[in-house]
Amino acid sequence: MKTWRVIDLIEWTTEYFERHEVPTPRLDAELLLGHLLQKSRLQLYLSFEMPVFQEALSKFRELIKKRIDHTPVSYLTNHKEFMALDFYVDPRVLIPRPETEILVETVLELQKEPCRFVDIGTGCGAIAISSAHHRPDWELIATDFSIEALEVAERNALNHNCADRLTLLQGDLFEPLQQLSDTHFDWIASNPPYVSVDEASTLPPDVRKHEPEVALFAGVDGLDIIRRLVTDAPQYLNTEGKLILEIGHNQSYAVQDLIKSEPAYQRCEVIQDYAGIERVVLASI
Ligand SMILES: C[S@@+](CC[C@H](N)C(=O)[O-])C[C@H]1O[C@@H](n2cnc3c(N)ncnc32)[C@H](O)[C@@H]1O
């Protein structure tokens, strides 16, 4: 019987993924094998000649099958890096995207002093927990409609030692904030669902088939949740408070119009992502 070495498995899987049109075949092969053997990619490179035995081969075959069915690598490995921190993820939450780091970086750049910060629709907790990590003196609240997502966020808060400073609340947008004695914030941040129903068929199968619908879709124009956030945020913002939102690639003008039509906002800025797409909107009271 053939003995499979690490390098053989990487090469075979890369070719198999290529044939099945997996977008990043070599990377995915390495990440999945590294996950299985509990090795970083560097360690994997240093173990090319190492034999891989039957039990691991069977498990690897299962992972390959799931990847061919478009299960995202992060759901198979239960890891995603965000703001250089390792987040636990599974199909209960959206996998945090690099674009969202721009939102967090903008907040960290502008807010050096202690503040009250709420992340609406926290998912795995990426925005709130990475902010907590960088700003130990902030008071943080994070909400989500999905109880399952909040379970994941709680796990990440514990992993990153901020569970004692992050209050997690379940409910629809601002509604759960009513449970707090102080309902006013210096920052309201959100990466809300913003995909239009019509765009569903254009999403990559990894996203369409496996990520939670409640994290993706927001009505006919994708603005159902953003509209409510823009309208309701002012009543929860302190003087000079700020609302910061991630938006879809084609929503900048529409969202700026929404903000301009709310008299409470004094200023509105748009921040581009690394691809030059207007991705984050910052509105100040
Ligand atoms: C695009 S995901 C963002 C998750 C995370 N903040 C991130 O950036 O990776 C949107 C999140 O909003 C939550 N959500 C959707 N509708 C909501 C609502 N009406 N109220 C509160 N949360 C909601 C979803 O469950 C999901 O976790």
Side-chain angles (χ1 to χ4, degrees):
M1 202 162 68
K2 176 180 164 93
T3 301
W4 287 87
R5 299 168 303 161
V6 164
I7 183 67
D8 303 326
L9 283 172
I10 291 175
E11 286 177 351
W12 186 91
T13 311
T14 302
E15 203 191 301
Y16 188 70
F17 281 169
E18 270 167 5
R19 270 190 277 132
H20 285 81
E21 296 177 2
V22 171
T24 50
R26 170 92 186 198
L27 176 66
D28 289 10
E30 290 178 6
L31 288 172
L32 292 179
L33 189 59
H35 166 68
L36 189 67
L37 301 176
Q38 296 187 316
K39 289 185 186 296
S40 67
R41 285 177 69 211
L42 177 62
Q43 288 167 334
L44 213 57
Y45 274 64
L46 298 173
S47 315
F48 271 175
E49 298 300 323
M50 191 183 91
V52 180
F53 297 110
Q54 199 51 49
E55 196 188 334
L57 284 178
S58 311
K59 288 185 185 156
F60 193 47
R61 215 172 287 126
E62 286 307 306
L63 291 175
I64 291 171
K65 252 196 248 166
K66 288 183 179 162
R67 186 66 193 108
I68 295 302
D69 185 40
H70 303 288
T71 306
V73 169
S74 293
Y75 287 159
L76 296 173
T77 62
N78 299 123
H79 290 280
K80 179 67 185 178
E81 193 178 295
F82 182 83
M83 293 291 290
L85 299 174
D86 180 38
F87 281 83
Y88 171 88
V89 290
D90 68 25
R92 292 176 290 178
V93 290
L94 184 105
I95 299 164
R97 306 294 204 267
E99 299 90 278
T100 310
E101 293 182 353
I102 294 173
L103 183 155
V104 178
E105 282 162 2
T106 304
V107 177
L108 294 177
E109 180 60 35
L110 293 174
Q111 184 70 41
K112 313 274 189 211
E113 301 296 314
C115 73
R116 287 191 94 220
F117 176 101
V118 61
D119 172 17
I120 306 275
T122 195
C124 74
I127 293 174
I129 292 169
S130 57
S131 302
H133 176 81
H134 287 278
R135 294 287 186 270
D137 50 5
W138 290 8
E139 188 185 342
L140 293 122
I141 285 96
T143 75
D144 206 290
F145 197 68
S146 156
I147 295 175
E148 292 188 322
L150 289 170
E151 287 165 3
V152 175
E154 186 175 19
R155 177 172 180 158
N156 282 313
L158 288 166
N159 288 349
H160 292 293
N161 301 317
C162 63
D164 55 340
R165 322 188 265 119
L166 174 62
T167 304
L168 295 170
L169 300 173
Q170 190 272 328
D172 182 25
L173 299 190
F174 296 100
E175 177 266 328
L177 303 181
Q178 307 306 331
Q179 300 167 45
L180 303 170
S181 53
D182 182 354
T183 57
H184 284 82
F185 297 87
D186 303 299
W187 284 89
I188 296 172
S190 184
N191 171 21
Y194 54 64
V195 181
S196 71
V197 175
D198 284 353
E199 278 176 304
S201 60
T202 67
L203 294 175
D206 287 27
V207 179
R208 194 177 63 239
K209 286 179 72 176
H210 294 281
E211 296 201 78
E213 280 188 15
V214 66
L216 297 172
F217 299 109
V220 176
D221 59 1
L223 291 170
D224 279 8
I225 300 282
I226 290 181
R227 218 175 263 118
R228 291 175 57 204
L229 286 166
V230 168
T231 307
D232 293 347
Q235 47 180 307
Y236 297 96
L237 283 169
N238 285 327
T239 317
E240 296 187 17
K242 292 180 173 56
L243 168 70
I244 188 163
L245 299 174
E246 180 172 323
I247 58 168
H249 65 96
N250 53 1
Q251 293 174 334
S252 176
Y253 289 124
V255 176
Q256 287 181 69
D257 281 349
L258 288 173
I259 289 167
K260 283 175 193 155
S261 66
E262 276 298 325
Y265 297 109
Q266 304 299 311
R267 278 206 328 272
C268 174
E269 289 164 58
V270 180
I271 299 135
Q272 295 183 350
D273 65 17
Y274 297 118
I277 294 168
E278 297 192 334
R279 185 58 75 181
V280 170
V281 173
L282 174 64
S284 313
I285 289 285

